Amino acid sequence: MRAADAQIEAIGGLETNGQQIYQKRWWDRRWLVILVASLVACVLIFLRRPDALLNPQFFAEDGTYYYSQAYNLGGLRALLLPVAGYLLLSARLVALVAMYFPLSWAPAIFNVCAILMQAAPVSFLFTSRFDHLIPNWYARGAIALLYLAIPNSYNLDATLTYAQWHLALLALLVVIATPRSGRVWKIFDGAVILLSGLSGPYCLALAPVILLRWWRTRNKQLLGLFAIDLFTAAVQVAVLLANMSAQRGQEPIGASVVELARIVAGQLFMATLFSGKGYAVINTTSWWASSWFPILVSVCGVGFIALMLYRAPQELRLLWLFAALIFGSGLLAPIGSFSGTYWQQLAHPVWYPRFEFYLIVAWLTTLVWILAKTTHVPVAARRVALVLLALTCMMGIPLDWQYPAFTDNHYQAYVQRFEQMPPGSRMDIPLNPDPYWTMTLIKH
């Protein structure tokens, strides 16, 4: 008996310790799953735009603001400089790290960090904190793959300029995931909310989501996250008010029911089902030029979503709330100079959507939820969801899978010339996406 007890003790103890052994082995497998999911996510992101690593170049604000200001002013001095009226701490931190490496490596460092931030929601989705919310592993994998292969998302892939959109999604997942009382998880949750909140105005939309989540669960940890988010929101609002002149657009909005229908029907439903390229073709047809068809598509789509949300869990509703708040704020904040009104440009296929990004994520997640749900979902709804998801997988994703490579501006050639210049010399390096973006460096 003692020999048997000693053997049991050697492998972990009696029944309770035996359960610990099982849990340890499960966690070993879980971390392996998370690692594999993370690697697959990074590979898929790379395959959608291989030039991000094969020919890395700065994109827009990456070079114009983040790297150039870190280089010219110093990484720490540039850390809290606003861009477009708000703080972007995550990008500033990457620029600070890049200062310790050669100039020729900087775009690659930016893109690698952007890829890691883009893959982070997938990694988190496969942790145990979603075992209760999404127990079906096939559904979890489908949501992750659809997020990585999302149609109509050009410029949101492997660019640090837009990596904060994925970081905000991670913050949302932290809020809706099952809380954990461990110190490591608490530090992780707080750090994600803090970094995301200081990396864009998304904290303003996240605040009501946290409150509603707390109202339903009464979990005290959510109050701590709300306090952190409220702090970041106060900081962002203060910075925004102090930099009102930094806003990038003062064009007429051109609000109308028809244009709103075109945005929703086109950028959300048509572009997701048939790809951005397919939507560009649809946009040229006479029936799309008329007002009745976009209105019909948007009413049917929104009606279907509303019907499903009536039966959906709170977490899915919170995803839609966050997406709707971001989308609504984007409708009221022009960000550039366009021909025509702002809403007309938002509805145009050449406008690659950002404010619709979370709506598309929520839409695809809803379709997966409908198909994975075995009860309380009408058979007709399941059939509709199956057809819509099939169209997305057969047309939307394949046609929008490969992002066009950025224009080769011969960045490395500029670096070689810059390194040979005497201290105090100035160089303007052209950047993507158009000739108006440049990076100005003053040689140390």
Side-chain angles (χ1 to χ4, degrees):
M1 185 69 179
R2 288 186 176 180
D5 290 344
Q7 184 179 7
I8 293 175
E9 184 177 359
I11 62 174
L14 297 174
E15 291 184 5
T16 302
N17 289 332
Q19 179 67 17
Q20 291 175 354
I21 289 176
Y22 171 78
Q23 290 178 351
K24 184 178 185 299
R25 290 176 179 174
W26 168 246
W27 274 106
D28 286 344
R29 293 199 299 269
R30 175 59 63 91
W31 284 111
L32 180 61
V33 169
I34 295 172
L35 177 61
V36 171
S38 303
L39 292 175
V40 170
C42 292
V43 169
L44 291 178
I45 295 168
F46 164 74
L47 291 177
R48 295 198 73 177
R49 223 198 87 217
D51 69 295
L53 297 182
L54 299 181
N55 184 27
Q57 300 178 90
F58 284 121
F59 176 84
E61 287 92 343
D62 290 356
T64 301
Y65 296 107
Y66 309 135
Y67 189 86
S68 65
Q69 290 177 343
Y71 181 89
N72 296 330
L73 303 176
L76 291 176
R77 289 182 60 189
L79 202 58
L80 298 179
L81 290 179
V83 175
Y86 51 84
L87 299 180
L88 276 161
L89 184 61
S90 58
R92 296 292 190 185
L93 288 173
V94 174
L96 176 61
V97 171
M99 291 298 101
Y100 295 94
F101 295 89
L103 176 60
S104 59
W105 293 17
I109 293 172
F110 273 47
N111 291 349
V112 167
C113 291
I115 290 173
L116 292 177
M117 280 192 272
Q118 188 172 345
V122 173
S123 304
F124 186 63
L125 190 65
F126 281 92
T127 66
S128 63
R129 296 178 62 177
F130 282 89
D131 286 352
H132 176 72
L133 179 59
I134 315 176
N136 188 321
W137 282 83
Y138 294 106
R140 211 182 304 194
I143 292 172
L145 289 175
L146 288 170
Y147 160 72
L148 294 169
I150 188 170
N152 202 33
S153 60
Y154 179 64
N155 282 355
L156 289 174
D157 187 86
T159 57
L160 191 64
T161 291
Y162 299 124
Q164 72 267 15
W165 290 82
H166 304 286
L167 187 61
L169 180 60
L170 177 62
L172 176 67
L173 293 180
V174 165
V175 172
I176 66 177
T178 302
R180 288 288 185 266
S181 57
R183 180 180 300 177
V184 173
W185 276 123
K186 288 182 179 179
I187 294 174
F188 172 82
D189 291 356
V192 170
I193 299 299
L194 180 64
L195 182 60
S196 174
L198 296 178
S199 300
Y202 317 98
C203 52
L204 300 174
L206 191 62
V209 173
I210 300 176
L211 277 182
L212 289 173
R213 183 66 170 157
W214 170 81
W215 184 263
R216 179 68 177 270
T217 63
R218 300 293 175 163
N219 188 284
K220 294 182 179 180
Q221 293 183 35
L222 290 171
L223 292 179
L225 297 183
F226 179 73
I228 296 174
D229 186 75
L230 199 62
F231 164 75
T232 61
V235 171
Q236 292 288 15
V237 169
V239 173
L240 183 65
L241 293 176
N243 295 272
M244 292 297 292
S245 60
Q247 298 306 301
R248 292 180 287 176
Q250 302 296 333
E251 291 73 24
I253 292 178
S256 71
V257 173
V258 174
E259 289 304 329
L260 179 61
R262 292 187 194 280
I263 297 171
V264 174
Q267 302 287 21
L268 175 56
F269 297 122
M270 293 290 100
T272 304
L273 294 173
F274 305 108
S275 77
K277 299 181 180 70
Y279 171 44
V281 175
I282 294 173
N283 188 67
T284 61
T285 60
S286 58
W287 37 272
W288 187 262
S290 62
S291 60
W292 68 269
F293 188 75
I295 292 177
L296 177 64
V297 171
S298 60
V299 168
C300 291
V302 173
F304 179 74
I305 292 169
L307 179 63
M308 291 299 99
L309 287 183
Y310 178 75
R311 306 166 183 268
Q314 187 209 35
E315 294 83 359
L316 186 56
R317 296 178 185 178
L318 292 178
L319 172 58
W320 274 105
L321 173 62
F322 182 76
L325 291 174
I326 296 295
F327 176 67
S329 65
L331 292 177
L332 301 176
I335 58 173
S337 300
F338 314 112
S339 58
T341 67
Y342 177 55
W343 281 24
Q344 287 175 343
Q345 184 67 22
L346 287 179
H348 202 277
V350 300
W351 174 268
Y352 298 104
R354 296 189 293 277
F355 301 113
E356 296 89 341
F357 169 67
Y358 299 116
L359 291 179
I360 299 174
V361 171
W363 168 243
L364 295 177
T365 302
T366 302
L367 295 180
V368 173
W369 171 78
I370 293 172
L371 294 176
K373 187 70 174 177
T374 57
T375 58
H376 305 299
V377 173
V379 175
R382 292 170 61 86
R383 291 174 178 172
V384 171
L386 180 61
V387 171
L388 295 175
L389 198 56
L391 284 173
T392 299
C393 293
M394 291 188 297
M395 296 189 65
I397 290 175
L399 292 176
D400 272 358
W401 172 257
Q402 190 72 60
Y403 293 125
F406 289 167
T407 302
D408 188 359
N409 289 321
H410 307 287
Y411 173 78
Q412 296 300 332
Y414 280 93
V415 170
Q416 293 178 4
R417 289 172 49 195
F418 183 74
E419 291 177 344
Q420 297 173 359
M421 297 171 63
S425 301
R426 167 177 170 157
M427 173 175 282
D428 294 330
I429 302 177
L431 306 176
N432 281 279
D434 55 52
Y436 300 103
W437 291 94
T438 59
M439 179 174 69
T440 301
L441 298 179
I442 300 175
K443 183 71 176 292
H444 291 167

